Amino acid sequence: MATGRAFLISAVSLSLAACSGRQSSLDPQGPYAQQIANLFWAFLAVCALIWLAVCVVLSIAVIRRRAARPQPLELAPARERMMGQLVLSLGGGTGVIVIAFALISYVAQRNLWAEPNSGMTLRVVGHQWWWEVLYDDPQPARNFITANEIHIPVNTLVRVRLETRDVIHSFWVPSLAGKMDQISGHINEQLLLAARPGIYRGQCAEFCGQEHAKMAFSVVASSPEEFDAWRDGQIRAAAPPEGPERRRGRHVFESHSCLVCHTIRGTIAGGKFGPDLTHLASRRSIAAGTAPLTAGHLGGWIADPQHLKPGTQMPPGDLGGADLSALVAYLMGLQ
Ligand code: CUA
């Protein structure tokens, strides 16, 4: 008995645990996600009521079964009329429910696509398998690029312009908005609005190859002051490395193939194939949310990327131990 109760409690809490947290459509953190959650609950409530009604009627029919009629083919006109009316009214009711569903979906769609005339715009480009995030500014000197981590000010409408460099990806931050595909040669848009500060997880929602599952990102919603401070920090070029270890790391970076794919503003590295690393150490994770950013994970990632993310297009570092630790020390200093 006690085992049964424990099982029931853990089953219920496990199923509810999936409904909250930093990546859940059922725990909306902004008005756009709220629209979608409302729609889900309205559909679920109506469908659950219909399902319950069908179960009740079916149970009654099974329990209160009438005796077999001597002449089953004989029609009772009054009864036939009543059944006809019942079927007709249930059919009409179904039609009304479908139309009501269509109407509330239409209203939700209108609210989701309301044209904003304020807020900020940024671009997110999907790559196999990471996200390039571009903050464009009317002053070109204030443009910058980052990866796999989107910062937005809270309570500000953010228009995200979505592109892809290769295959179709899908941009999805369940706690903040619905999904939107990134299609080659076409720009789609998604509106984000976070009502509360927090870190919300996003995930590619369109199968895009071997590492589709490891194509995640974070949306960090913070106060406008914190966001401005973050942006000012990102606009700056990387500070020159301090200490012999980090200076050696920078030399390793600039004298190996790293600079072919990566940019670090303030150095000679200007590669565009992989993520911009100018402020790598200000991010929370590496390899598009695959591992937290620690010196250990970063070293492992550079030494053997295929181990952490099989299929990734990052080649192995092929560095000696001292060079590798100097490189990690340098990269971990890129605040
Ligand atoms: Cu990108 Cu799945």
Side-chain angles (χ1 to χ4, degrees):
M1 183 65 192
T3 329
R5 199 181 299 155
F7 174 76
L8 195 68
I9 290 171
S10 51
V12 168
S13 46
L14 271 178
S15 61
L16 289 178
C19 302
S20 65
R22 60 197 193 108
Q23 184 179 332
S24 173
S25 305
L26 302 182
D27 186 16
Q29 299 294 322
Y32 293 111
Q34 188 70 56
Q35 288 280 341
I36 295 168
N38 292 348
L39 208 55
F40 171 80
W41 289 116
F43 272 66
L44 185 73
V46 173
C47 293
L49 280 177
I50 293 171
W51 179 76
L52 270 178
V54 169
C55 287
V56 167
V57 172
L58 209 61
S59 308
I60 292 173
V62 169
I63 293 164
R64 297 184 52 193
R65 205 173 157 177
R66 273 176 302 173
R69 284 185 288 168
Q71 294 292 338
L73 294 181
E74 201 177 296
L75 295 179
R79 188 177 161 71
E80 284 304 308
R81 236 188 339 271
M82 196 192 84
M83 293 309 276
Q85 278 165 356
L86 189 65
V87 168
L88 208 66
S89 49
L90 285 176
T94 306
V96 168
I97 290 171
V98 170
I99 292 169
F101 274 169
L103 278 178
I104 60 170
S105 302
Y106 172 73
V107 171
Q109 288 273 348
R110 261 178 70 103
N111 293 338
L112 285 175
W113 300 113
E115 267 299 302
N117 45 19
S118 63
M120 57 176 281
T121 301
L122 53 90
R123 284 190 291 144
V124 174
V125 182
H127 296 257
Q128 280 177 319
W129 293 272
W130 60 282
W131 309 84
E132 183 180 13
V133 188
L134 302 96
Y135 288 78
D136 297 331
D137 196 275
Q139 291 172 259
R142 289 178 60 82
N143 287 354
F144 66 91
I145 302 173
T146 180
N148 305 323
E149 196 170 292
I150 300 171
H151 284 243
I152 59 172
V154 84
N155 280 319
T156 303
L157 193 68
V158 180
R159 186 200 292 255
V160 183
R161 292 167 71 81
L162 296 163
E163 303 164 39
T164 172
R165 275 295 166 272
D166 36 53
V167 299
I168 298 176
H169 302 274
S170 182
F171 179 87
W172 190 29
V173 194
S175 306
L176 297 182
K179 295 173 191 172
M180 182 54 72
D181 277 1
Q182 290 163 284
I183 299 165
S184 192
H186 178 80
I187 295 174
N188 271 338
E189 280 190 359
Q190 179 64 274
L191 301 176
L192 295 181
L193 203 159
R196 284 170 283 280
I199 301 173
Y200 308 111
R201 192 173 187 276
Q203 168 69 45
C204 181
E206 176 83 37
F207 181 71
C208 55
Q210 191 175 353
E211 283 303 350
H212 156 71
K214 287 183 179 168
M215 187 169 167
F217 60 100
S218 307
V219 175
V220 181
S222 48
S223 68
E225 298 75 34
E226 280 175 84
F227 171 76
D228 286 341
W230 173 83
R231 176 157 64 183
D232 290 343
Q234 297 286 316
I235 289 168
R236 279 195 286 275
E242 282 170 14
E245 173 88 340
R246 286 186 170 165
R247 275 197 289 276
R248 175 176 177 171
R250 173 171 158 169
H251 176 72
V252 171
F253 191 90
E254 291 180 327
S255 58
H256 286 76
S257 53
C258 317
L259 84 180
V260 176
C261 295
H262 297 284
T263 291
I264 296 180
R265 278 178 290 125
T267 73
I268 60 166
K272 296 280 179 231
F273 193 71
D276 185 307
L277 303 178
T278 308
H279 296 286
L280 172 70
S282 71
R283 300 181 203 148
R284 284 163 177 75
S285 68
I286 53 170
T290 303
L293 177 67
T294 61
H297 282 111
L298 186 59
W301 169 239
I302 295 168
D304 186 6
Q306 297 299 328
H307 181 78
L308 195 62
K309 197 169 175 176
T312 178
Q313 300 182 31
M314 165 119 164
D318 199 18
L319 299 169
D323 276 352
L324 180 62
S325 52
L327 179 60
V328 169
Y330 168 60
L331 293 174
M332 291 300 286
L334 292 176
Q335 280 293 339

